[in-house]
Amino acid sequence: QVQLVESGGGSVQAGGSLRLSCAASGRTFSRSAMGWFRQAPGKEREFVAAISWSGDRIYYVDSVKGRFTISRANANNTVYLQMNRLKPEDTAVYYCNGAVNLGGGRWQPNDGWGQGTQVTVSS
């Protein structure tokens, strides 16, 4: 059974920072690339960032490059997303999941999602 527990969201003003954490079950996390996705109200869920199992390959959607940093701690099955210089357009529910790189900037998440964590950025 997939278990994904996201935390660290909150409400901040534009320019602020948040650090999201995701605790994943062993089966989801083990030897898998992990990604962060987000879903804003009225929009489809979109890819934000991903990191390979070893951490040597990292990918970001263009809109967050230079502001967000993804990392992982394999010893405790956790992936992080450090978000700096937040913008109102970053407002969304953020989710983590195992993911497969389809190429061309496209990522396929695994089936099953956690509850997500809400990030709200005010102007």
Side-chain angles (χ1 to χ4, degrees):
Q1 183 176 357
V2 173
Q3 288 189 327
L4 298 159
V5 180
E6 299 91 348
S7 61
S11 296
V12 297
Q13 291 190 328
S17 298
L18 287 171
R19 188 190 192 211
L20 307 185
S21 298
C22 169
S25 66
R27 183 169 69 84
T28 299
F29 199 86
S30 179
R31 299 294 173 181
S32 297
M34 292 295 295
W36 283 96
F37 300 80
R38 66 186 179 187
Q39 187 167 20
K43 295 186 178 181
E44 293 186 353
R45 188 148 31 199
E46 66 171 351
F47 166 78
V48 176
I51 184 169
S52 63
W53 163 253
S54 61
D56 63 338
R57 287 168 289 166
I58 289 176
Y59 308 85
Y60 298 100
V61 68
D62 286 346
S63 60
V64 308
K65 285 180 180 177
R67 300 188 298 120
F68 291 11
T69 303
I70 189 172
S71 61
R72 66 190 295 164
N74 290 344
N76 56 12
N77 288 3
T78 303
V79 62
Y80 304 97
L81 187 66
Q82 177 67 43
M83 305 188 297
N84 298 329
R85 292 185 283 138
L86 282 160
K87 302 177 180 180
E89 51 263 44
D90 295 318
T91 294
V93 179
Y94 284 71
Y95 303 87
C96 72
N97 210 336
V100 175
N101 189 351
L102 301 178
R106 296 173 300 126
W107 287 80
Q108 177 64 52
N110 292 345
D111 291 336
W113 295 93
Q115 83 289 348
T117 187
Q118 175 71 49
V119 171
T120 303
V121 185
S122 58
S123 57

